[in-house]
mmCIF file of all heavy atoms in Angstrom:
data_model
loop_
_atom_site.group_PDB
_atom_site.id
_atom_site.type_symbol
_atom_site.label_atom_id
_atom_site.label_comp_id
_atom_site.label_asym_id
_atom_site.label_seq_id
_atom_site.Cartn_x
_atom_site.Cartn_y
_atom_site.Cartn_z
ATOM 1 N N THR A 381 -6.782 25.503 -0.230
ATOM 2 C CA THR A 381 -7.787 26.512 0.264
ATOM 3 C C THR A 381 -8.112 27.398 -0.943
ATOM 4 O O THR A 381 -7.638 27.169 -2.039
ATOM 5 C CB THR A 381 -7.105 27.538 1.324
ATOM 6 O OG1 THR A 381 -6.026 28.184 0.635
ATOM 7 C CG2 THR A 381 -6.587 26.808 2.600
ATOM 8 N N SER A 382 -9.084 28.337 -0.695
ATOM 9 C CA SER A 382 -9.279 29.364 -1.737
ATOM 10 C C SER A 382 -9.334 30.681 -1.104
ATOM 11 O O SER A 382 -9.671 30.820 0.120
ATOM 12 C CB SER A 382 -10.594 29.060 -2.466
ATOM 13 O OG SER A 382 -11.646 29.771 -1.917
ATOM 14 N N TYR A 384 -11.211 33.502 -1.144
ATOM 15 C CA TYR A 384 -12.304 34.210 -0.438
ATOM 16 C C TYR A 384 -12.786 33.379 0.727
ATOM 17 O O TYR A 384 -13.391 33.892 1.734
ATOM 18 C CB TYR A 384 -13.439 34.488 -1.429
ATOM 19 C CG TYR A 384 -14.451 33.341 -1.687
ATOM 20 C CD1 TYR A 384 -15.609 33.228 -0.934
ATOM 21 C CD2 TYR A 384 -14.160 32.417 -2.647
ATOM 22 C CE1 TYR A 384 -16.502 32.241 -1.259
ATOM 23 C CE2 TYR A 384 -15.030 31.376 -2.913
ATOM 24 C CZ TYR A 384 -16.196 31.311 -2.207
ATOM 25 O OH TYR A 384 -17.128 30.291 -2.470
ATOM 26 N N GLN A 385 -12.488 32.096 0.749
ATOM 27 C CA GLN A 385 -12.937 31.269 1.918
ATOM 28 C C GLN A 385 -12.027 31.261 3.102
ATOM 29 O O GLN A 385 -12.389 30.882 4.189
ATOM 30 C CB GLN A 385 -13.142 29.803 1.395
ATOM 31 C CG GLN A 385 -14.273 29.692 0.418
ATOM 32 C CD GLN A 385 -14.468 28.327 -0.184
ATOM 33 O OE1 GLN A 385 -13.765 28.005 -1.148
ATOM 34 N NE2 GLN A 385 -15.199 27.480 0.414
ATOM 35 N N ARG A 438 -2.059 24.317 -2.349
ATOM 36 C CA ARG A 438 -2.841 24.722 -3.404
ATOM 37 C C ARG A 438 -3.779 25.878 -2.828
ATOM 38 O O ARG A 438 -4.582 25.565 -1.952
ATOM 39 C CB ARG A 438 -3.635 23.609 -4.034
ATOM 40 C CG ARG A 438 -4.438 23.937 -5.257
ATOM 41 C CD ARG A 438 -5.933 24.159 -4.846
ATOM 42 N NE ARG A 438 -6.792 24.247 -6.038
ATOM 43 C CZ ARG A 438 -8.028 24.212 -5.962
ATOM 44 N NH1 ARG A 438 -8.678 24.070 -4.899
ATOM 45 N NH2 ARG A 438 -8.746 24.349 -7.126
ATOM 46 N N HIS A 480 -11.213 31.420 -8.398
ATOM 47 C CA HIS A 480 -11.938 30.490 -7.574
ATOM 48 C C HIS A 480 -13.220 31.208 -7.158
ATOM 49 O O HIS A 480 -13.313 31.658 -5.933
ATOM 50 C CB HIS A 480 -11.069 29.980 -6.424
ATOM 51 C CG HIS A 480 -11.628 28.851 -5.671
ATOM 52 N ND1 HIS A 480 -10.973 27.692 -5.473
ATOM 53 C CD2 HIS A 480 -12.885 28.610 -5.079
ATOM 54 C CE1 HIS A 480 -11.701 26.780 -4.787
ATOM 55 N NE2 HIS A 480 -12.846 27.378 -4.527
ATOM 56 N N PHE A 481 -14.196 31.296 -7.930
ATOM 57 C CA PHE A 481 -15.527 31.752 -7.618
ATOM 58 C C PHE A 481 -15.630 33.282 -7.201
ATOM 59 O O PHE A 481 -16.644 33.649 -6.717
ATOM 60 C CB PHE A 481 -16.208 30.944 -6.438
ATOM 61 C CG PHE A 481 -16.266 29.565 -6.635
ATOM 62 C CD1 PHE A 481 -16.381 28.676 -5.550
ATOM 63 C CD2 PHE A 481 -16.170 28.877 -7.892
ATOM 64 C CE1 PHE A 481 -16.528 27.275 -5.604
ATOM 65 C CE2 PHE A 481 -16.316 27.534 -8.030
ATOM 66 C CZ PHE A 481 -16.401 26.724 -6.896
ATOM 67 N N ASN A 524 -11.126 27.329 -11.070
ATOM 68 C CA ASN A 524 -11.694 26.313 -10.233
ATOM 69 C C ASN A 524 -13.079 25.914 -10.521
ATOM 70 O O ASN A 524 -13.913 26.809 -10.598
ATOM 71 C CB ASN A 524 -11.563 26.707 -8.737
ATOM 72 C CG ASN A 524 -12.058 25.654 -7.823
ATOM 73 O OD1 ASN A 524 -11.443 24.567 -7.622
ATOM 74 N ND2 ASN A 524 -13.267 25.850 -7.240
ATOM 75 N N GLU A 525 -13.368 24.644 -10.721
ATOM 76 C CA GLU A 525 -14.746 24.121 -10.951
ATOM 77 C C GLU A 525 -15.616 25.010 -11.841
ATOM 78 O O GLU A 525 -16.663 25.389 -11.459
ATOM 79 C CB GLU A 525 -15.416 23.964 -9.561
ATOM 80 C CG GLU A 525 -14.667 22.894 -8.728
ATOM 81 C CD GLU A 525 -15.448 22.322 -7.581
ATOM 82 O OE1 GLU A 525 -16.580 22.829 -7.266
ATOM 83 O OE2 GLU A 525 -14.983 21.348 -6.905
ATOM 84 N N MET A 528 -18.917 23.622 -12.042
ATOM 85 C CA MET A 528 -19.893 23.827 -10.981
ATOM 86 C C MET A 528 -20.435 25.258 -10.995
ATOM 87 O O MET A 528 -21.513 25.483 -10.534
ATOM 88 C CB MET A 528 -19.273 23.478 -9.666
ATOM 89 C CG MET A 528 -18.916 22.025 -9.546
ATOM 90 S SD MET A 528 -20.361 20.982 -9.796
ATOM 91 C CE MET A 528 -20.084 20.293 -11.345
ATOM 92 N N VAL A 535 -25.642 28.654 -5.876
ATOM 93 C CA VAL A 535 -25.078 28.552 -4.556
ATOM 94 C C VAL A 535 -23.660 29.203 -4.512
ATOM 95 O O VAL A 535 -23.211 29.753 -3.543
ATOM 96 C CB VAL A 535 -24.966 26.991 -4.112
ATOM 97 C CG1 VAL A 535 -23.906 26.758 -3.067
ATOM 98 C CG2 VAL A 535 -26.263 26.600 -3.621
ATOM 99 N N LEU A 536 -22.881 28.998 -5.654
ATOM 100 C CA LEU A 536 -21.470 29.329 -5.605
ATOM 101 C C LEU A 536 -21.199 30.809 -5.845
ATOM 102 O O LEU A 536 -20.288 31.389 -5.229
ATOM 103 C CB LEU A 536 -20.681 28.494 -6.593
ATOM 104 C CG LEU A 536 -20.721 27.035 -6.348
ATOM 105 C CD1 LEU A 536 -19.949 26.297 -7.437
ATOM 106 C CD2 LEU A 536 -20.095 26.665 -4.974
ATOM 107 N N ALA A 576 -9.083 23.146 -13.555
ATOM 108 C CA ALA A 576 -9.332 22.418 -12.253
ATOM 109 C C ALA A 576 -10.881 22.234 -12.081
ATOM 110 O O ALA A 576 -11.446 22.817 -11.179
ATOM 111 C CB ALA A 576 -8.749 23.150 -11.134
ATOM 112 N N ASN A 578 -14.444 19.973 -11.333
ATOM 113 C CA ASN A 578 -14.939 19.001 -10.379
ATOM 114 C C ASN A 578 -15.340 17.785 -11.190
ATOM 115 O O ASN A 578 -16.329 17.940 -11.952
ATOM 116 C CB ASN A 578 -16.053 19.627 -9.587
ATOM 117 C CG ASN A 578 -16.664 18.639 -8.573
ATOM 118 O OD1 ASN A 578 -17.017 17.464 -8.901
ATOM 119 N ND2 ASN A 578 -16.895 19.088 -7.395
ATOM 120 N N ASN A 651 -11.050 18.254 -8.790
ATOM 121 C CA ASN A 651 -11.600 18.041 -7.486
ATOM 122 C C ASN A 651 -12.468 16.866 -7.395
ATOM 123 O O ASN A 651 -13.305 16.695 -8.340
ATOM 124 C CB ASN A 651 -12.394 19.304 -6.994
ATOM 125 C CG ASN A 651 -11.467 20.541 -7.071
ATOM 126 O OD1 ASN A 651 -10.296 20.487 -7.152
ATOM 127 N ND2 ASN A 651 -12.099 21.699 -7.032
ATOM 128 N N TYR A 653 -15.102 14.779 -4.768
ATOM 129 C CA TYR A 653 -15.771 14.588 -3.490
ATOM 130 C C TYR A 653 -16.703 13.342 -3.486
ATOM 131 O O TYR A 653 -16.770 12.657 -2.458
ATOM 132 C CB TYR A 653 -16.620 15.865 -3.160
ATOM 133 C CG TYR A 653 -15.784 17.029 -2.757
ATOM 134 C CD1 TYR A 653 -15.301 17.904 -3.646
ATOM 135 C CD2 TYR A 653 -15.502 17.242 -1.414
ATOM 136 C CE1 TYR A 653 -14.513 18.953 -3.257
ATOM 137 C CE2 TYR A 653 -14.736 18.338 -0.982
ATOM 138 C CZ TYR A 653 -14.222 19.192 -1.911
ATOM 139 O OH TYR A 653 -13.447 20.294 -1.611
ATOM 140 N N ASN A 673 -26.461 22.064 -5.239
ATOM 141 C CA ASN A 673 -25.074 22.541 -4.923
ATOM 142 C C ASN A 673 -24.152 21.810 -5.672
ATOM 143 O O ASN A 673 -24.430 20.916 -6.489
ATOM 144 C CB ASN A 673 -24.864 22.388 -3.412
ATOM 145 C CG ASN A 673 -24.972 20.965 -2.926
ATOM 146 O OD1 ASN A 673 -24.202 20.133 -3.417
ATOM 147 N ND2 ASN A 673 -25.845 20.664 -1.978
ATOM 148 N N GLN A 674 -22.813 22.125 -5.496
ATOM 149 C CA GLN A 674 -21.803 21.645 -6.436
ATOM 150 C C GLN A 674 -21.582 20.131 -6.470
ATOM 151 O O GLN A 674 -21.104 19.533 -7.409
ATOM 152 C CB GLN A 674 -20.472 22.371 -6.242
ATOM 153 C CG GLN A 674 -19.639 22.160 -5.033
ATOM 154 C CD GLN A 674 -20.153 22.918 -3.818
ATOM 155 O OE1 GLN A 674 -21.330 23.252 -3.658
ATOM 156 N NE2 GLN A 674 -19.194 23.368 -3.006
ATOM 157 N N GLN A 675 -21.903 19.450 -5.393
ATOM 158 C CA GLN A 675 -21.740 17.977 -5.363
ATOM 159 C C GLN A 675 -23.051 17.227 -5.500
ATOM 160 O O GLN A 675 -23.106 16.026 -5.473
ATOM 161 C CB GLN A 675 -21.123 17.578 -4.014
ATOM 162 C CG GLN A 675 -19.628 17.339 -4.126
ATOM 163 C CD GLN A 675 -18.739 18.584 -4.319
ATOM 164 O OE1 GLN A 675 -18.182 18.794 -5.346
ATOM 165 N NE2 GLN A 675 -18.771 19.505 -3.354
ATOM 166 N N PHE A 697 -23.518 16.634 6.201
ATOM 167 C CA PHE A 697 -23.859 17.825 5.531
ATOM 168 C C PHE A 697 -24.246 17.503 4.113
ATOM 169 O O PHE A 697 -23.491 16.818 3.450
ATOM 170 C CB PHE A 697 -22.708 18.839 5.499
ATOM 171 C CG PHE A 697 -22.561 19.657 6.757
ATOM 172 C CD1 PHE A 697 -21.708 19.322 7.781
ATOM 173 C CD2 PHE A 697 -23.313 20.812 6.914
ATOM 174 C CE1 PHE A 697 -21.524 20.082 8.922
ATOM 175 C CE2 PHE A 697 -23.150 21.602 8.046
ATOM 176 C CZ PHE A 697 -22.237 21.213 9.082
ATOM 177 N N SER A 698 -25.276 18.026 3.632
ATOM 178 C CA SER A 698 -25.782 18.044 2.244
ATOM 179 C C SER A 698 -25.900 16.562 1.658
ATOM 180 O O SER A 698 -26.304 16.433 0.463
ATOM 181 C CB SER A 698 -24.649 18.703 1.292
ATOM 182 O OG SER A 698 -24.462 19.932 1.689
ATOM 183 N N TRP A 700 -23.877 14.070 0.546
ATOM 184 C CA TRP A 700 -23.098 13.708 -0.659
ATOM 185 C C TRP A 700 -22.632 12.278 -0.479
ATOM 186 O O TRP A 700 -22.218 11.817 0.590
ATOM 187 C CB TRP A 700 -21.890 14.640 -0.794
ATOM 188 C CG TRP A 700 -22.242 16.076 -0.990
ATOM 189 C CD1 TRP A 700 -23.381 16.616 -1.501
ATOM 190 C CD2 TRP A 700 -21.368 17.235 -0.780
ATOM 191 N NE1 TRP A 700 -23.341 17.898 -1.548
ATOM 192 C CE2 TRP A 700 -22.102 18.361 -1.144
ATOM 193 C CE3 TRP A 700 -20.132 17.373 -0.270
ATOM 194 C CZ2 TRP A 700 -21.597 19.651 -1.014
ATOM 195 C CZ3 TRP A 700 -19.572 18.669 -0.178
ATOM 196 C CH2 TRP A 700 -20.341 19.767 -0.578
ATOM 197 N N THR A 725 -6.913 18.261 -6.639
ATOM 198 C CA THR A 725 -6.747 19.548 -5.902
ATOM 199 C C THR A 725 -7.763 19.808 -4.904
ATOM 200 O O THR A 725 -7.756 20.801 -4.171
ATOM 201 C CB THR A 725 -6.704 20.668 -7.030
ATOM 202 O OG1 THR A 725 -7.685 20.369 -8.039
ATOM 203 C CG2 THR A 725 -5.329 20.788 -7.546
ATOM 204 N N GLU A 726 -8.751 18.921 -4.672
ATOM 205 C CA GLU A 726 -9.724 18.974 -3.644
ATOM 206 C C GLU A 726 -10.284 17.530 -3.385
ATOM 207 O O GLU A 726 -10.575 16.887 -4.344
ATOM 208 C CB GLU A 726 -10.875 19.925 -3.869
ATOM 209 C CG GLU A 726 -10.514 21.343 -3.742
ATOM 210 C CD GLU A 726 -11.668 22.348 -3.815
ATOM 211 O OE1 GLU A 726 -12.759 21.979 -3.351
ATOM 212 O OE2 GLU A 726 -11.456 23.400 -4.439
ATOM 213 N N ASN A 727 -10.483 17.282 -2.090
ATOM 214 C CA ASN A 727 -11.053 15.931 -1.685
ATOM 215 C C ASN A 727 -11.099 16.111 -0.179
ATOM 216 O O ASN A 727 -10.139 16.399 0.441
ATOM 217 C CB ASN A 727 -10.216 14.750 -2.168
ATOM 218 C CG ASN A 727 -10.663 13.452 -1.532
ATOM 219 O OD1 ASN A 727 -9.926 12.761 -0.816
ATOM 220 N ND2 ASN A 727 -11.853 13.079 -1.859
ATOM 221 N N GLY A 728 -12.304 15.838 0.415
ATOM 222 C CA GLY A 728 -12.313 16.035 1.902
ATOM 223 C C GLY A 728 -13.714 15.915 2.437
ATOM 224 O O GLY A 728 -14.679 15.794 1.723
ATOM 225 N N LEU A 729 -13.754 15.971 3.769
ATOM 226 C CA LEU A 729 -15.003 15.768 4.445
ATOM 227 C C LEU A 729 -15.325 16.935 5.323
ATOM 228 O O LEU A 729 -14.576 17.350 6.289
ATOM 229 C CB LEU A 729 -14.909 14.523 5.363
ATOM 230 C CG LEU A 729 -16.192 14.230 6.169
ATOM 231 C CD1 LEU A 729 -17.317 13.816 5.218
ATOM 232 C CD2 LEU A 729 -15.970 13.166 7.283
ATOM 233 N N GLY A 730 -16.448 17.578 5.029
ATOM 234 C CA GLY A 730 -16.851 18.727 5.878
ATOM 235 C C GLY A 730 -17.730 18.249 6.991
ATOM 236 O O GLY A 730 -18.787 17.610 6.754
ATOM 237 N N TRP A 773 -8.883 19.022 0.619
ATOM 238 C CA TRP A 773 -9.665 20.200 1.126
ATOM 239 C C TRP A 773 -9.986 20.021 2.591
ATOM 240 O O TRP A 773 -10.675 18.997 2.837
ATOM 241 C CB TRP A 773 -10.891 20.416 0.289
ATOM 242 C CG TRP A 773 -11.654 21.646 0.530
ATOM 243 C CD1 TRP A 773 -12.700 21.898 1.327
ATOM 244 C CD2 TRP A 773 -11.353 22.937 -0.075
ATOM 245 N NE1 TRP A 773 -13.116 23.164 1.258
ATOM 246 C CE2 TRP A 773 -12.289 23.846 0.388
ATOM 247 C CE3 TRP A 773 -10.329 23.415 -0.921
ATOM 248 C CZ2 TRP A 773 -12.355 25.219 0.038
ATOM 249 C CZ3 TRP A 773 -10.398 24.748 -1.313
ATOM 250 C CH2 TRP A 773 -11.375 25.626 -0.840
ATOM 251 N N SER A 774 -9.364 20.728 3.450
ATOM 252 C CA SER A 774 -8.672 21.926 3.256
ATOM 253 C C SER A 774 -7.436 21.967 4.261
ATOM 254 O O SER A 774 -7.498 21.216 5.248
ATOM 255 C CB SER A 774 -9.569 23.179 3.475
ATOM 256 O OG SER A 774 -10.225 23.057 4.764
ATOM 257 N N LEU A 778 -12.002 26.721 6.953
ATOM 258 C CA LEU A 778 -12.368 27.908 6.247
ATOM 259 C C LEU A 778 -13.913 27.925 6.080
ATOM 260 O O LEU A 778 -14.533 27.043 6.505
ATOM 261 C CB LEU A 778 -11.631 28.024 4.817
ATOM 262 C CG LEU A 778 -11.429 26.671 4.121
ATOM 263 C CD1 LEU A 778 -12.678 26.064 3.657
ATOM 264 C CD2 LEU A 778 -10.483 26.870 2.947
ATOM 265 N N ILE A 779 -14.457 28.954 5.431
ATOM 266 C CA ILE A 779 -15.831 28.941 5.284
ATOM 267 C C ILE A 779 -16.327 28.148 4.074
ATOM 268 O O ILE A 779 -15.748 28.302 2.993
ATOM 269 C CB ILE A 779 -16.378 30.390 5.165
ATOM 270 C CG1 ILE A 779 -15.842 31.295 6.215
ATOM 271 C CG2 ILE A 779 -17.938 30.451 5.082
ATOM 272 C CD1 ILE A 779 -16.465 32.662 6.289
ATOM 273 N N SER A 780 -17.285 27.255 4.347
ATOM 274 C CA SER A 780 -17.919 26.513 3.244
ATOM 275 C C SER A 780 -18.628 27.445 2.259
ATOM 276 O O SER A 780 -18.968 28.594 2.649
ATOM 277 C CB SER A 780 -18.874 25.486 3.855
ATOM 278 O OG SER A 780 -20.026 25.394 3.008
ATOM 279 N N THR A 781 -18.759 26.998 1.019
ATOM 280 C CA THR A 781 -19.366 27.822 0.028
ATOM 281 C C THR A 781 -20.744 28.369 0.433
ATOM 282 O O THR A 781 -21.219 29.420 0.174
ATOM 283 C CB THR A 781 -19.555 27.151 -1.297
ATOM 284 O OG1 THR A 781 -20.334 25.964 -1.096
ATOM 285 C CG2 THR A 781 -18.187 26.843 -1.879
ATOM 286 N N HIS A 782 -21.524 27.430 1.147
ATOM 287 C CA HIS A 782 -22.873 27.810 1.451
ATOM 288 C C HIS A 782 -23.387 27.252 2.785
ATOM 289 O O HIS A 782 -24.643 27.332 3.065
ATOM 290 C CB HIS A 782 -23.893 27.412 0.383
ATOM 291 C CG HIS A 782 -23.887 25.946 0.137
ATOM 292 N ND1 HIS A 782 -22.872 25.192 -0.358
ATOM 293 C CD2 HIS A 782 -24.844 25.085 0.438
ATOM 294 C CE1 HIS A 782 -23.132 23.983 -0.422
ATOM 295 N NE2 HIS A 782 -24.348 23.748 0.059
ATOM 296 N N GLU A 783 -22.449 26.642 3.614
ATOM 297 C CA GLU A 783 -22.911 26.118 4.861
ATOM 298 C C GLU A 783 -22.140 26.566 6.107
ATOM 299 O O GLU A 783 -22.075 25.931 7.159
ATOM 300 C CB GLU A 783 -22.890 24.525 4.765
ATOM 301 C CG GLU A 783 -24.055 24.120 3.816
ATOM 302 C CD GLU A 783 -24.077 22.571 3.569
ATOM 303 O OE1 GLU A 783 -23.081 21.994 3.035
ATOM 304 O OE2 GLU A 783 -25.042 21.916 3.910
ATOM 305 N N GLY A 784 -21.572 27.765 5.902
ATOM 306 C CA GLY A 784 -20.996 28.434 7.052
ATOM 307 C C GLY A 784 -19.595 27.886 7.547
ATOM 308 O O GLY A 784 -19.064 26.986 7.005
ATOM 309 N N LYS A 787 -19.198 23.980 9.121
ATOM 310 C CA LYS A 787 -18.836 22.870 8.315
ATOM 311 C C LYS A 787 -17.434 22.930 8.002
ATOM 312 O O LYS A 787 -16.886 23.729 7.155
ATOM 313 C CB LYS A 787 -19.661 22.900 6.965
ATOM 314 C CG LYS A 787 -19.426 21.697 6.038
ATOM 315 C CD LYS A 787 -20.136 21.896 4.757
ATOM 316 C CE LYS A 787 -20.187 20.599 3.945
ATOM 317 N NZ LYS A 787 -20.761 20.894 2.594
ATOM 318 N N ARG A 788 -16.594 22.140 8.765
ATOM 319 C CA ARG A 788 -15.160 22.306 8.749
ATOM 320 C C ARG A 788 -14.536 21.171 7.919
ATOM 321 O O ARG A 788 -14.920 20.067 8.002
ATOM 322 C CB ARG A 788 -14.580 22.294 10.141
ATOM 323 C CG ARG A 788 -15.040 23.498 11.003
ATOM 324 C CD ARG A 788 -14.638 23.255 12.510
ATOM 325 N NE ARG A 788 -15.240 24.327 13.329
ATOM 326 C CZ ARG A 788 -14.638 25.429 13.578
ATOM 327 N NH1 ARG A 788 -13.366 25.647 13.092
ATOM 328 N NH2 ARG A 788 -15.131 26.387 14.349
ATOM 329 N N TYR A 789 -13.419 21.530 7.304
ATOM 330 C CA TYR A 789 -12.681 20.535 6.443
ATOM 331 C C TYR A 789 -11.195 20.441 6.855
ATOM 332 O O TYR A 789 -10.498 19.572 6.436
ATOM 333 C CB TYR A 789 -12.690 20.952 4.996
ATOM 334 C CG TYR A 789 -13.980 20.750 4.239
ATOM 335 C CD1 TYR A 789 -14.985 21.777 4.232
ATOM 336 C CD2 TYR A 789 -14.204 19.649 3.442
ATOM 337 C CE1 TYR A 789 -16.174 21.562 3.468
ATOM 338 C CE2 TYR A 789 -15.381 19.461 2.816
ATOM 339 C CZ TYR A 789 -16.332 20.420 2.800
ATOM 340 O OH TYR A 789 -17.465 20.253 2.088
HETATM 341 C C1 BG6 B 1837 -15.637 22.676 -3.937
HETATM 342 C C2 BG6 B 1837 -15.172 24.043 -3.999
HETATM 343 O O1 BG6 B 1837 -16.713 22.518 -4.784
HETATM 344 O O2 BG6 B 1837 -16.106 22.121 -2.748
HETATM 345 C C3 BG6 B 1837 -14.754 24.642 -2.687
HETATM 346 O O3 BG6 B 1837 -14.121 24.237 -4.964
HETATM 347 C C4 BG6 B 1837 -15.729 24.208 -1.586
HETATM 348 O O4 BG6 B 1837 -14.689 26.038 -2.778
HETATM 349 C C5 BG6 B 1837 -15.646 22.743 -1.548
HETATM 350 O O5 BG6 B 1837 -15.528 24.759 -0.366
HETATM 351 C C6 BG6 B 1837 -16.537 22.097 -0.432
HETATM 352 O O6 BG6 B 1837 -17.837 22.502 -0.601
HETATM 353 P P1 BG6 B 1837 -18.586 23.264 0.509
HETATM 354 O O7 BG6 B 1837 -19.899 23.679 -0.160
HETATM 355 O O8 BG6 B 1837 -18.848 22.359 1.611
HETATM 356 O O9 BG6 B 1837 -17.789 24.445 0.918
#
Side-chain angles (χ1 to χ4, degrees):
T381 62
S382 92
Y384 84 95
Q385 292 173 276
R438 184 261 190 169
H480 191 127
F481 305 160
N524 179 70
E525 296 196 355
M528 294 303 109
V535 158
L536 297 178
N578 177 314
N651 299 346
Y653 287 85
N673 59 58
Q674 68 276 37
Q675 260 69 248
F697 276 96
S698 303
W700 296 339
T725 38
E726 287 185 35
N727 169 239
L729 180 69
W773 188 261
S774 51
L778 37 67
I779 307 191
S780 143
T781 58
H782 63 291
E783 291 178 296
K787 185 184 192 186
R788 295 170 186 269
Y789 285 89

